[in-house]
Structures are given as C-alpha cells and as structure tokens.
Amino acid sequence: MSAPESTMDKGAVVTGYDGSEEARKAVRWAAGEATARGCGLVVAHVVGFPPVPEAVPGGGAWPRPGFLEAGQETAQRHAEAMLGDIAQECRRAWPDLAVSTRLLSGRAPDALAHAAENADLLVIGSSGLTALPRLLVGSTANELLHDYHRPIVVVHAGDEPPEDCDRKVVVGVDGSETSMEAIGFAYDFADRHGCVLAALHVWSDLPLEAMAVSPTENDREIIEEQGKPLLDESLAGYRERYPDVPVHRVIAVDRPTHALAEQAEGAALLVVGSHGRGPLRRALLGSVSRAVVHHAPCPVAVVRHHKD
C-alpha cells in the first residue's frame, strides 16, 4: 500500500470508503465520473484507531502491553482487505479505469483533504457506519465541505453512478464569483454526460414574512425581468464554450434550499457554490449548501471559489 502522497493523485478523482453501503455508492459514483473524465480513481480509507493508550473509565488499569499495536494491525489488515474488494469491484465494472487505493490514518476530514489536495474532485458518502448518519454528515462531511478547497461531491445511498443520460444538471445562480465556478463545473459535467443544464436563480432577497405570501402575476413579471439579465450574464461565456449543452433558465420565488431541492428531483447532479454574494451572505448561503447536501434527492457538488 503506497503512502498518501497527494502529488501522486494529481488530476484524479479521490473517494473515501469505510465499508458502508453509502460509501460504496460514493465509490461507484466516483468510478463512473473518473471514467467519464479519463482520469484515475483513488479509493482511500482512514484508520482512526487511537494512537496512544487511554485510561479505562472508573480509574482502571492501562491496556496491557501490545494491546493497541495488535488492534492497529487488525484494523489495518481489515482496511486493506476492504479496499482490495472495492477496488476489484470497480475494475470489473469499469475495466479501463485505473484504480489505486490509499490507507490513511488520523482524523478522517484531515486525512481525506490531504490525500485529495491535488485531486480534480473529492467524492464522499453522506453518511457511513453509524446509527446516527446525520451526525456523521455534521462532522466528517461538513468539515470537508467547509475546509476542502476543491470541488466535492456528496453522494447518498440511493444515488446512481453518472452515465450518459437525458437527465438534467441543476446549478444555483446568484451572480457571485463562487456561483460562476459552480456554473462552469455544471456545464462541464452536463457536456460530458449529455445532460440538459437547468440554471436556477432563486429570488430570495425579500423578507421572510413576504415569502409566505404568494407573489402576484405582476410580481412574477417584475422578478423575471430583473432575474433574466443576471442569468444571461452569468451563462454568457459558458454558452460559447459548451454550445451543445441545452440550457433551461428557471427563476423561482422561494427559499433557496426548497427551490434547489425541488428543481433537483430526478436530476443527475445538483451544483451549488459554497458562498454567496458578499461577506454578509456567507453564513446564509453556506447554510444553504449544507442543507441541500442533507435534503437534495440526487448527488450534490459543492464548489468553492478558488480564492476562498
């Protein structure tokens, strides 16, 4: 097993695997995407066995000599066998795909972020081996979503690997630099997989109490008039770069999380930026990106602006 040298994985798709069904789905999704990109797939497992002895609760004795070393070796052997099995599964399903594995140690978010430092894409499951899957999303996945500086895709248990299809790719558009990065990612994915692109602008600048009232037809006309130029300007450069990607423009008056999740029903991928327009909106739109990771009915790609 090679050392976790991120330079070896430059340009690859890196994915985390812990043996759970959700992680297996994430690996298969990553394998399909790596095949479409024509790059390698790196499957990583993090062994988090305690590196130092811990006292037994209640003031008991320290573990006997060799106990921790034996446990570490057992965990590593199990992890190596698990990685070997999933790598073989990927090679059988995608014979032309170059698959390698990495056995890492430490905190899962830190180890995965380091292993994927030079990767094109990091793919993780939304939860893993735990009775409280949302807790894991709140720790490992959310830490990566906050700190990892490259695109990251979160896959749920029911999500299928990306294939050439006539499904749509949904991208949130708000005019920010991060949104532009997300649009580029979405166009690239849609072009590679033969998907329609749905560019969604959510008119959410109204007060929350106003959002509870259905807008009139005149309101909708005004909102669309103001939203269309933003969509046109945001999509302009990409239309020329990806002329074969059909684009549907959607303007919604809704809470962003609800509108994105609703539009993503049946989609191949939902793409959002990690931040929004200006420092005062970072907390709000950061929470939106985290919320859609939990609730979207399809895989979610979270893209950060390269200067974030």
Side-chain angles (χ1 to χ4, degrees):
M1 190 78 56
S2 59
E5 298 177 13
S6 59
T7 54
M8 297 175 61
D9 305 330
K10 185 175 178 61
V13 173
V14 174
T15 181
Y17 183 62
D18 65 1
S20 67
E21 182 57 26
E22 290 220 354
R24 179 177 172 272
K25 286 283 187 180
V27 172
R28 291 184 61 85
W29 196 98
E33 179 61 12
T35 299
R37 289 169 175 256
C39 67
L41 174 69
V42 178
V43 186
H45 175 79
V46 182
V47 178
F49 199 84
V52 296
E54 294 180 358
V56 176
W62 294 95
R64 66 182 184 274
F67 173 82
L68 289 169
E69 291 81 359
Q72 185 80 31
E73 291 175 5
T74 299
Q76 288 180 345
R77 285 197 300 270
H78 174 70
E80 288 173 353
M82 196 166 56
L83 283 171
D85 289 344
I86 193 66
Q88 282 300 105
E89 180 179 335
C90 291
R91 292 183 184 111
R92 285 194 298 269
W94 293 272
D96 298 327
L97 178 63
V99 183
S100 60
T101 59
R102 302 282 184 272
L103 183 57
L104 314 174
S105 61
R107 294 182 66 254
D110 297 337
L112 287 172
H114 176 70
E117 183 178 0
N118 293 310
D120 273 3
L121 183 66
L122 175 61
V123 181
I124 59 173
S126 61
S127 63
L129 292 172
T130 171
L132 297 171
R134 293 303 180 192
L135 180 62
L136 184 62
V137 171
S139 56
T140 302
N142 273 350
E143 280 195 48
L144 285 166
L145 287 168
H146 184 269
D147 297 329
Y148 183 61
H149 65 284
R150 300 185 68 81
I152 181 170
V153 172
V154 180
V155 179
H156 306 84
D159 297 336
E160 296 299 325
E163 298 175 353
D164 291 344
C165 61
D166 57 1
R167 291 188 294 167
K168 63 185 175 181
V169 175
V170 180
V171 61
V173 180
D174 67 8
S176 67
E177 291 179 317
T178 305
S179 172
M180 297 300 291
E181 300 272 356
I183 292 168
F185 186 96
Y187 257 108
D188 182 64
F189 186 95
D191 185 59
R192 193 164 49 248
H193 294 283
C195 297
V196 172
L197 180 66
L200 172 65
H201 174 61
V202 183
W203 187 270
S204 57
D205 291 339
L206 297 174
L208 287 178
E209 60 270 17
M211 297 288 288
V213 180
S214 298
T216 65
E217 191 63 34
N218 184 59
D219 292 333
R220 290 188 180 277
E221 290 179 2
I222 294 173
I223 290 167
E224 288 184 4
E225 280 183 17
Q226 296 187 7
K228 283 179 179 178
L230 183 146
L231 280 173
D232 288 341
E233 182 179 348
S234 297
L235 299 174
Y238 296 105
R239 283 203 311 263
E240 298 167 359
R241 195 181 312 172
Y242 301 98
D244 296 329
V245 175
V247 180
H248 294 163
R249 295 166 179 78
V250 182
I251 299 174
V253 182
D254 200 349
R255 291 173 175 81
T257 300
H258 181 266
L260 288 164
E262 185 174 60
Q263 191 64 217
E265 191 69 43
L269 185 70
L270 169 61
V271 186
V272 294
S274 61
H275 295 146
R277 295 170 296 194
L280 294 180
R281 289 188 170 264
R282 289 182 184 273
L284 173 63
L285 293 184
S287 66
V288 168
S289 62
R290 289 193 298 273
V292 297
V293 166
H294 283 276
H295 301 298
C298 68
V300 180
V302 179
V303 181
R304 297 184 67 168
H305 181 49
H306 68 277
K307 293 182 180 179
D308 283 346

